[in-house]
Amino acid sequence: MLTKRIIPCLDVKEGRAVKGVQFVELRDAGDPVELAKFYDEQGADELVFLDISASHEGRETMVDVVRQTASALAIPFTVGGGIRTLDDMKRILRAGADKVSVNTSALECPDLIKEGSDYFGAQCIVCAIDACFSEEDGTWMVYTHGGRNKTSWKAVDWAREAVRLGAGEILLTSMNRDGEKSGFDLGLTKAVREAVTVPVIASGGAGNAEHFREVLQDVDADAALAASIFHYKEKSVAEVKSYLKAKGVNIR
Amino acid sequence: MKIAVIDYGMGNLFSVEQALKRLNADVVITNDAAELNAAAAYVLPGVGAFPDAMKRLAETGLIEFMQTTKKPLLGICLGMQLMFERSEEVTPTEGLHIFQGSVERFQGVSRIPHMGWNELVLTQMPSWLEGKRLPADRYVYFVHSFYATRIDEAQLVGFADYEGVGVPGIVTKDNYTGMQFHPEKSGKFGVFLLRAWLRQVEASVC
């Protein structure tokens, strides 16, 4: 049986991990490759690197990080942030990443998803969606630029459109829950999960192991992503996975 | 002992190359006839669509070479699919006709692609796994929307159960081996499988 995936997310700025793991003796807690190794040993099923570099040089450094990670580890990983063209995708994927994720750039130019999917296959293209519940619209709306700008897309509609264009996976972040540690947004995840036939990764709100169980078991998300809960050792990846196993979730 | 990763312009060669190098293999990425002839074994990787891949193999003049070689050849993901008779991906296309069966899109499953870690159930021991102590954890990483079906069960080594569909994970015939999952991305068990395959190559050379 296909297992549910637990995915730690690492923010990388100018080649350095920000919000690095705080609690273990790493040679260099700011080294994304060291952190990737650490999470691999913990049993992470995949990794996501989010490049938050502001500069061109920073994004070039990201390519090195990707190459080093792929050289050192036998674990699948996705790279997002700053991917605006087919050439950006080529550089990251050829350096050894398994998938690229697109967010704002895909909303500005939806053909980017189609181009990437036609070239590399749908399985390489992840559409990342930042969604926030809007009282005015009565549903979850899509935001760009890290949540600053509201679009006219309903999250469910944009997810469907992204899949139609060729996205092979949806990385769905609840802006309402992000950083709150009160649990994943089950309503949002369920709505998108039911709207598309590709895997959905739930993100935003993980505060304890039970939150992972809810989103994976009750609303059937295919994977759950978190950052701070793993970085600050509130719960290790291994602890979350053993909790989920005990609760009957199909976990590697 | 050289292992040639066949370069026909399709997809991610870097991860496969690195995985082999971590196992101390001497790896060359090439489509040059002389270099291929000098190698002890071949790895055919591949990410992308079946028709493009066959077209590029034809352009590189590698089709007959792969069909007739007697050296160990390992196809990974699309590289495995290419070794079947045909595929319906994008448009019906003839494959290399090494393994019996055709490559078709998943039907009746809730999610496509089949993406993530699934358990490999072994149905027989190929020579390169014989006598090896197999790890208890046999999860491997899959990512694909098409799979080999109507295969010859005698050529099946292991499969994964995806919502009731038996997905061929490893197939074998003579010197040919196919892996639908990515051993280079499948953690310790993936490393184990690659190492076992490499050992057999070493044994066949000595």
Side-chain angles (χ1 to χ4, degrees), chain A residues 1-3 5 44-46 66-67 70-77 93-99 118-124 168-169 193-194 196-200 220 222 250-252, chain B residues 9-15 18-19 22 47-49 52 56 110-119 137 139-145 160-163 182-188 191:
Chain A
M1 245 167 58
L2 189 65
T3 58
R5 290 171 279 152
D45 295 302
E46 271 184 47
V66 170
R67 201 172 286 122
S71 305
L73 292 176
I75 182 173
F77 63 97
L93 292 171
R94 284 181 181 155
D98 300 275
K99 304 180 237 181
D118 286 348
Y119 196 88
F120 295 105
Q123 78 286 344
C124 289
E169 193 168 43
R193 166 74 173 81
E194 285 170 357
V196 297
T197 54
V198 301
V200 174
D220 207 18
D222 300 277
N250 194 22
I251 287 286
R252 175 172 73 106
Chain B
M10 295 297 284
N12 182 354
L13 306 180
F14 187 76
S15 299
Q18 293 302 314
R22 284 197 295 273
V47 168
D52 286 350
R56 299 216 192 184
S110 67
R111 287 280 178 271
I112 299 175
H114 172 220
M115 187 188 283
W117 297 81
N118 204 331
E119 194 168 14
D137 167 4
Y139 286 98
V140 287
Y141 187 80
F142 286 91
V143 51
H144 59 125
S145 303
D161 175 358
Y162 183 40
E163 297 184 5
H182 287 272
E184 78 280 13
K185 291 285 177 176
S186 292
K188 290 195 179 80
V191 172

Side-chain angles (χ1 to χ4, degrees), chain A:
Chain A
M1 245 167 58
L2 189 65
T3 58
K4 302 283 187 181
R5 290 171 279 152
I6 302 297
I7 308 176
C9 177
L10 288 163
D11 287 355
V12 180
K13 190 174 185 183
E14 319 291 328
R16 302 285 294 168
V18 254
K19 297 192 293 190
V21 176
Q22 307 286 307
F23 52 90
V24 276
E25 298 284 327
L26 293 174
R27 248 183 320 145
D28 177 1
D31 178 358
V33 184
E34 282 272 307
L35 289 171
K37 277 184 199 160
F38 170 74
Y39 283 127
D40 180 30
E41 282 157 20
Q42 285 261 314
D45 295 302
E46 271 184 47
L47 297 171
V48 168
F49 289 109
L50 187 62
D51 185 11
I52 55 171
S53 302
S55 68
H56 176 71
E57 291 74 21
R59 282 190 293 277
E60 284 302 316
T61 313
M62 192 64 214
V63 178
D64 289 334
V65 170
V66 170
R67 201 172 286 122
Q68 287 169 39
T69 306
S71 305
L73 292 176
I75 182 173
F77 63 97
T78 301
V79 176
I83 291 164
R84 296 191 178 82
T85 64
L86 188 65
D87 278 341
D88 292 339
M89 292 180 177
K90 285 182 188 170
R91 278 187 308 144
I92 294 290
L93 292 171
R94 284 181 181 155
D98 300 275
K99 304 180 237 181
V100 287
S101 88
V102 288
N103 190 333
T104 299
S105 55
L107 283 152
E108 288 172 350
C109 173
D111 268 353
L112 182 61
I113 295 177
K114 186 170 162 30
E115 274 180 53
S117 186
D118 286 348
Y119 196 88
F120 295 105
Q123 78 286 344
C124 289
I125 312 299
V126 181
C127 181
I129 300 177
D130 292 338
C132 191
F133 192 81
S134 156
E135 296 291 344
E136 185 192 337
D137 301 280
T139 185
W140 297 273
M141 301 300 286
V142 179
Y143 283 68
T144 62
H145 299 90
R148 286 195 295 278
N149 304 329
K150 187 180 169 188
T151 70
S152 57
W153 280 103
K154 291 176 182 168
V156 168
D157 292 343
W158 172 236
R160 239 185 237 125
E161 175 65 3
V163 171
R164 191 189 67 78
L165 288 164
E169 193 168 43
I170 302 289
L171 168 51
L172 180 65
T173 302
S174 161
M175 290 165 51
N176 305 85
R177 299 300 180 93
D178 209 18
E180 294 292 315
K181 299 193 177 161
S182 58
F184 293 93
D185 190 331
L186 302 182
L188 168 67
T189 307
K190 185 166 191 282
V192 171
R193 166 74 173 81
E194 285 170 357
V196 297
T197 54
V198 301
V200 174
I201 306 170
S203 158
N208 60 44
E210 173 61 15
H211 292 151
F212 287 88
R213 191 207 59 76
E214 287 172 351
V215 80
L216 297 172
Q217 211 165 41
D218 297 347
V219 298
D220 207 18
D222 300 277
L225 176 143
S228 52
I229 182 177
F230 298 136
H231 300 334
Y232 300 109
K233 212 198 174 173
E234 285 148 65
K235 277 275 175 275
S236 72
V237 174
E239 280 172 318
V240 168
K241 290 185 83 168
S242 72
Y243 176 86
L244 293 171
K245 257 185 212 167
K247 292 287 178 183
V249 182
N250 194 22
I251 287 286
R252 175 172 73 106

Side-chain angles (χ1 to χ4, degrees), chain A residues 119-121 123, chain B residues 8-12 44-57 66 73-84 87 89-90 95-96 103 143-148 177-184:
Chain A
Y119 196 88
F120 295 105
Q123 78 286 344
Chain B
Y8 58 113
M10 295 297 284
N12 182 354
L44 181 67
V47 168
F50 195 102
D52 286 350
M54 283 308 295
K55 188 164 159 252
R56 299 216 192 184
L57 280 180
M66 279 187 294
L73 191 157
L74 170 63
I76 296 173
C77 198
L78 177 64
M80 157 173 156
Q81 295 185 356
L82 294 172
M83 293 195 281
F84 283 85
S87 169
E89 184 176 4
V90 188
L96 294 171
V103 178
V143 51
H144 59 125
S145 303
F146 291 76
Y147 75 110
T177 304
M179 296 185 189
Q180 175 61 69
F181 52 88
H182 287 272
E184 78 280 13

